[in-house]
Amino acid sequence: MQLEEPLRRRRRLSLTPLIDVVFILLIFFMLASTFTTEQILTVEAPGERVSAPSEESPALLRVQVAGSGFIIDETPLSGTEVRERLERFAAEEDEPRLQIVAHADAPVQPIVQVIDWSAALGLDDVALLRQEAP
Amino acid sequence: MKLPLPPSHKDPEEHILPLINIVFLLLIFFMVAGTLTAPPPFSVELPASERGGEVATEPLRIHLGRSGEIALEGREEGLTELEEAVAKLLEESPGRPVQVQADRQARADALLDLMDALRAAGVERIDLVTQREGAR
């Protein structure tokens, strides 16, 4: 009986299927991955502070965010006016406390805007509250 | 003068080796640099902010849609189910950061209801996700 002689050289592995698979993986990762420039603003989850009647202390500023704009001390203000007010407040007070009172119909963007400004001014004590039903 | 002939490649596949190298590099780039997350079943347009911290790794992702829809890790949930699910997940891994991706047009009461539910589930700090101003 004559056995076949083993091949002298193994055939090189074909690269074409490998490239196909790698291309498919590449396209998958290109489409599925996201590259948004996300960042976070940390807020405390509102606790008992929501229902507790907060005493009016001089070092407390209350910014109301309504659907139509910002309100401080019953006066409607524009964004830049609120920012200036926050700057003065942060500079004058030793322990500034900020309360953001959100009306039910206010969108998220202006609330985030106020949190953003207060973070920029170094205000740490920021509480997000719900506007009580009148 | 007779110049030596360039060495002839027997295998025509050798010409595509640099191509494969580049494709591999691109593949590794997309695998490492991109993040794969479960997208929410509704669209969420993040609010913009100038500053903000780095996004934590492996957070619990909660999405809040424009009209108040809520999704936990890409699955739509009601408020009460969400509260139970979050409490259970946090029991398994305490201290896991909780990330809320709220649409910029979502109403404040929807966000505050969500935050109240999270508070009830034992979450103390919430990471509100924003996108860098002017990024889009």
Side-chain angles (χ1 to χ4, degrees):
Chain A
M1 193 176 93
Q2 198 181 358
L3 287 169
E4 261 180 63
E5 236 178 78
L7 285 170
R8 222 174 290 149
R9 202 164 60 91
R10 272 187 71 185
R11 236 189 115 247
R12 276 187 59 179
L13 207 65
S14 172
L15 285 172
T16 322
L18 169 79
I19 302 163
D20 288 348
V21 171
V22 169
F23 258 116
I24 286 169
L25 281 174
L26 177 65
I27 290 164
F28 168 75
F29 278 102
M30 277 173 74
L31 297 180
S33 49
T34 44
F35 288 94
T36 44
T37 47
E38 286 177 1
Q39 52 188 4
I40 51 165
L41 291 169
T42 305
V43 288
E44 301 230 343
E48 298 77 55
R49 294 164 101 174
V50 178
S51 50
S54 43
E55 74 286 6
E56 287 289 340
S57 74
L60 173 75
L61 183 69
R62 195 176 275 184
V63 180
Q64 293 191 46
V65 183
S68 49
F70 305 100
I71 303 167
I72 297 178
D73 298 335
E74 315 287 318
T75 324
L77 296 176
S78 71
T80 40
E81 285 170 320
V82 171
R83 171 127 213 198
E84 282 161 19
R85 183 72 193 266
L86 281 175
E87 269 168 27
R88 258 186 293 135
F89 178 67
E92 281 167 12
E93 304 294 342
D94 295 331
E95 287 176 30
R97 280 174 61 206
L98 182 68
Q99 285 187 347
I100 302 169
V101 182
H103 291 222
D105 58 341
V108 167
Q109 175 65 58
I111 298 171
V112 166
Q113 183 80 76
V114 177
I115 299 173
D116 187 22
W117 286 332
S118 54
L121 294 167
L123 290 166
D124 303 322
D125 196 349
V126 179
L128 181 57
L129 306 182
R130 189 194 298 268
Q131 166 81 340
E132 306 287 326
Chain B
M1 197 175 100
K2 196 180 173 189
L3 288 168
L5 283 170
S8 64
H9 289 290
K10 259 184 253 157
D11 194 348
E13 284 189 340
E14 258 169 55
H15 294 293
I16 50 173
L17 283 177
L19 168 76
I20 303 167
N21 288 345
I22 303 289
V23 170
F24 257 117
L25 279 180
L26 281 173
L27 177 65
I28 291 165
F29 167 75
F30 278 103
M31 279 172 72
V32 173
T35 42
L36 286 173
T37 50
F42 40 83
S43 79
V44 170
E45 201 186 335
L46 292 174
S49 78
E50 282 168 33
R51 355 174 83 229
E54 284 287 305
V55 176
T57 49
E58 297 260 331
L60 208 58
R61 285 190 188 81
I62 296 165
H63 290 90
L64 178 68
R66 180 164 299 201
S67 40
E69 318 94 304
I70 294 166
L72 173 65
E73 299 287 354
R75 252 175 310 117
E76 198 154 358
E77 305 259 17
L79 257 188
T80 40
E81 293 110 79
L82 176 94
E83 191 182 316
E84 284 163 23
V86 168
K88 210 170 136 201
L89 282 169
L90 284 180
E91 214 170 277
E92 285 163 19
S93 51
R96 192 170 172 197
V98 176
Q99 196 183 74
V100 173
Q101 305 204 4
D103 192 283
R104 59 174 70 180
Q105 297 294 330
R107 279 164 61 99
D109 54 351
L111 178 66
L112 285 162
D113 287 344
L114 173 62
M115 285 169 75
D116 284 344
L118 289 176
R119 175 81 196 188
V123 182
E124 272 157 27
R125 300 177 75 81
I126 293 167
D127 293 342
L128 263 182
V129 183
T130 62
Q131 65 183 10
R132 208 157 291 145
E133 199 125 40
R136 200 183 287 176

